[in-house]
Amino acid sequence: MMVEAVHTYYDNVHAVKGISFEVRRGEITALIGANGAGKSTSIKTICGLLRPRSGGVYLEGSPIHKLPPERIVRLGIGYVPEGRRVFPLLTVDENLAMGAFHRRDSAGIARDKAGVYETFPKLMDRRKQLAGALSGGEQQMLAIGRALMSRPSLLVMDEPSLGLAPLLVRQVFEIIVGLNEQGLTILLSEQNARSALKIAHRGIVMETGKVRFADTSKALRENPVVQRAYLGFA
Amino acid sequence: MLQELLNGIVVGASYTLLALGFSIVYGLIRLINFAQVSLYTLGAYLALYLTPLFASWLPGHGWVAFSLSVAVCGLLTGLVGVLVAAFAWWPIRRAPTISMLVSSLAVLILIEALIEVVVSPLPMVVKVPVDNRVHEALGGHYSSLQAAMLVGGVALTFLLYNFIRFTKFGRAIRATASNVDSAVVLGVNVTSTTFVVFGIAGALAGVSGVLVSSTYGVASFTMGEIVGLKGFTAAVLGGMGSVWGAVVGGFTLGIIESMSTFLLPSQWTAVVAFGILILVLAFRPTGLLRTRASDRA
């Protein structure tokens, strides 16, 4: 997937100022930056929740930035929103069913649901409960499971570790690595650069709506500017 | 006592149908769609013409003709509900809710005025071609049409509840109500969902209008106003946006009103109903069934 020279306004604020980057197939790409750097706006633009004022988003070479979000999910982009955003008044099972909303193959949906429950056994135990009653960590698992139900080839995650206890953050990151090892391409935004660069193949560092650095995680970890600003080196 | 309870349940059925309409539209787009009140009136006036027409086609089958009329009027008001969405909501869907509310009220006044001008400003007598006997059961008296209203109201409520609870489309309505963005990125088309919901609300209101005007034998162009406000009260009572809440709110309000006639003259029922609305808003603004504000997402 390619993002090319995208400008996006969010509530009339010029939040993304001409960013370009690439997400390579089969890799984990981390979008790093402080609060307000434009990470969320970039991700919402990719998923179609926001329209770029100019520039474009291309999936396998074809433009998707003019499509409504309900079309983009059909093209294989799954989205895990910031703050999880599960449907609190729907049961766990119904939340997963919503993930497969655009699909018609009931056999495949049942198989994928069983797969999600296998990956997240805790959700299986709580499948009849309302999602609003789950803990933060469980809701994050559910949000990931729900996105997987759309059978994405690219999973886009907005701040997957936000508001989770350190132990859960590690768990979520392990899950992300596991999904990637099964062949899923992943783009995630993250304030915690240190942990994100540990699991990502590539990182994109955003500052005030622009891309500051874009490189392999290894190169970014060795970059003295990144070290000082994002990795806590003195 | 049982008589009042029965009356309350029958009246409650009409409140419930209106409350359901208010609740599902509100759940989806946070709009209190007062326009549906005019579809209640419109349903009654359509039946004024259609019931005798169907009865003339089906002589001797009064109940069949009446049921057909209820169904057709419901379909027609459902269609008008979709048109209301198309003309009064869709063009201003990105505007603040207050604009939509004004637009919805304008539709209410417009349809009422049209009925007044086209039909008559005077109340109309509604004749139903059925043998409307008075039955005695459970220690009370009730007419066949009251029974029909109760059965119709309960059956529709049951249908709608199961539709929302168990179908894919119903699940999408609930999901969208709980978080629009999350539903959209999963492939829900919010615009078409909203059109369908306006249609359902219109059909419920229309059926309710036919049943009430047929049972009490009278229709007037302002007949929707008080009932509409009570349906709204019922929806608030149960918790706006909740289907089950609308059902509980509708029947509770009907029964309380009816029971209040023990203590107060019957002219006071409106005072009781809106007194309850004020009390609920003061002490439980999210309704009786809504326990956590966070549920509303």
Side-chain angles (χ1 to χ4, degrees):
Chain A
M1 188 200 61
M2 301 279 294
V3 173
E4 275 181 21
V6 162
H7 287 261
T8 308
Y9 287 71
Y10 190 66
D11 283 342
N12 285 322
V13 175
H14 196 176
V16 167
K17 302 168 183 165
I19 58 162
S20 301
F21 63 85
E22 178 189 9
V23 175
R24 296 194 189 180
R25 193 199 298 270
E27 288 192 349
I28 300 177
T29 305
L31 209 52
I32 295 159
N35 212 355
K39 305 187 299 293
S40 255
T41 305
S42 310
I43 285 203
K44 284 186 174 141
T45 308
I46 292 167
C47 299
L49 284 170
L50 296 173
R51 284 280 155 86
R53 191 74 58 98
S54 64
V57 182
Y58 301 87
L59 186 68
E60 316 274 348
S62 44
I64 60 167
H65 52 274
K66 292 214 170 82
L67 299 177
E70 67 261 23
R71 292 276 305 282
I72 292 176
V73 64
R74 286 163 207 262
L75 297 174
I77 298 187
Y79 171 54
V80 182
E82 181 183 341
R84 304 173 279 281
R85 299 290 165 84
V86 294
F87 302 117
L89 293 177
L90 270 60
T91 64
V92 168
D93 212 58
E94 288 177 327
N95 265 275
L96 292 182
M98 276 308 297
F101 183 78
H102 68 91
R103 294 171 58 186
R104 306 241 174 268
D105 56 325
S106 39
I109 293 171
R111 214 176 316 123
D112 288 352
K113 208 190 256 179
V116 169
Y117 282 137
E118 208 174 299
T119 318
F120 306 111
K122 265 196 186 148
L123 295 183
M124 181 69 185
D125 301 337
R126 295 173 175 260
R127 54 196 298 236
K128 297 281 174 220
Q129 289 185 24
L130 294 185
L134 301 183
S135 70
E138 288 162 346
Q139 289 191 13
Q140 185 61 274
M141 311 289 170
L142 180 57
I144 296 172
R146 187 179 64 183
L148 292 176
M149 291 298 294
S150 72
R151 279 224 178 141
S153 48
L154 167 65
L155 189 65
V156 179
M157 310 173 85
D158 200 358
E159 305 265 7
S161 74
L162 197 74
L164 294 182
L167 186 70
L168 283 167
V169 172
R170 203 177 317 146
Q171 253 182 41
V172 167
F173 277 21
E174 274 165 19
I175 288 161
I176 294 171
V177 170
L179 291 171
N180 175 251
E181 280 166 358
Q182 289 166 36
L184 194 60
T185 309
I186 291 168
L187 171 66
L188 58 94
S189 78
E190 192 53 64
Q191 285 191 42
N192 184 342
R194 182 186 287 273
S195 8
L197 289 179
K198 253 181 230 160
I199 64 163
H201 300 90
R202 263 160 224 284
I204 293 139
V205 180
M206 283 188 76
E207 270 172 23
T208 58
K210 291 180 179 153
V211 173
R212 180 81 195 276
F213 301 105
D215 212 330
T216 63
S217 296
K218 187 169 179 292
L220 286 175
R221 278 198 304 262
E222 288 162 2
N223 179 324
V225 181
V226 175
Q227 283 181 352
R228 216 169 312 124
Y230 296 99
L231 299 175
F233 285 73
Chain B
M1 176 78 185
L2 267 165
Q3 180 72 60
E4 276 73 23
L5 185 65
L6 277 174
N7 291 348
I9 294 172
V10 171
V11 178
S14 67
Y15 297 163
T16 299
L17 292 181
L18 286 167
L20 283 169
F22 277 120
S23 209
I24 54 177
V25 171
Y26 180 84
L28 210 52
I29 56 172
R30 298 291 182 267
L31 166 69
I32 295 158
N33 179 29
F34 280 114
Q36 67 156 342
V37 171
S38 61
L39 303 183
Y40 170 91
T41 313
L42 185 65
Y45 274 79
L46 286 171
L48 209 55
Y49 298 97
L50 290 179
T51 308
L53 179 69
F54 293 146
S56 71
W57 291 352
L58 300 156
H61 296 90
W63 281 108
V64 180
F66 178 59
S67 312
L68 186 63
S69 177
V70 171
V72 171
C73 291
L75 275 178
L76 290 173
T77 53
L79 279 177
V80 177
V82 174
L83 290 177
V84 169
F87 289 104
W89 167 73
W90 195 77
I92 56 166
R93 64 196 179 285
R94 300 196 206 291
T97 312
I98 190 81
S99 313
M100 297 186 198
L101 186 68
V102 170
S103 162
S104 183
L105 281 168
V107 171
L108 164 63
I109 295 164
L110 178 74
I111 293 183
E112 280 189 350
L114 279 175
I115 292 172
E116 184 188 7
V117 172
V118 174
V119 185
S120 162
L122 301 173
M124 310 289 283
V125 176
V126 181
K127 290 207 180 78
V128 186
V130 299
D131 178 15
N132 194 20
R133 266 173 299 188
V134 173
H135 306 264
E136 224 186 307
L138 303 165
H141 299 267
Y142 59 98
S143 70
S144 300
L145 279 168
Q146 274 181 309
M149 184 165 146
L150 179 62
V151 171
V154 170
L156 267 183
T157 303
F158 181 80
L159 262 178
L160 184 77
Y161 181 75
N162 283 288
F163 172 74
I164 299 237
R165 187 81 185 75
F166 295 114
T167 66
K168 187 176 175 181
F169 194 81
R171 196 161 57 214
I173 292 176
R174 285 182 292 135
T176 311
S178 120
N179 192 310
V180 177
D181 278 359
S182 290
V184 166
V185 293
L186 295 173
V188 178
N189 184 329
V190 176
T191 304
S192 59
T193 309
T194 307
F195 274 107
V196 173
V197 168
F198 265 89
I200 294 172
L204 293 174
V207 167
S208 183
V210 179
L211 291 176
V212 172
S213 63
S214 304
T215 304
Y216 298 109
V218 61
S220 74
F221 76 94
T222 56
M223 65 184 274
E225 292 173 3
I226 289 290
V227 173
L229 283 174
K230 287 183 182 172
F232 169 67
T233 305
V236 173
L237 187 62
M240 264 291 176
S242 152
V243 172
W244 192 231
V247 177
V248 172
F251 285 107
T252 308
L253 185 64
I255 291 167
I256 292 178
E257 257 188 28
S258 185
M259 290 294 179
S260 74
T261 56
F262 278 119
L263 303 170
L264 296 163
S266 59
Q267 302 91 298
W268 283 70
T269 51
V271 177
V272 172
F274 300 122
I276 290 172
L277 174 65
I278 291 169
L279 286 178
V280 170
L281 287 176
F283 293 105
R284 263 189 102 83
T286 56
L288 296 179
L289 293 192
R290 285 299 182 104
T291 47
R292 283 166 302 164
S294 63
D295 283 354
R296 337 193 96 212

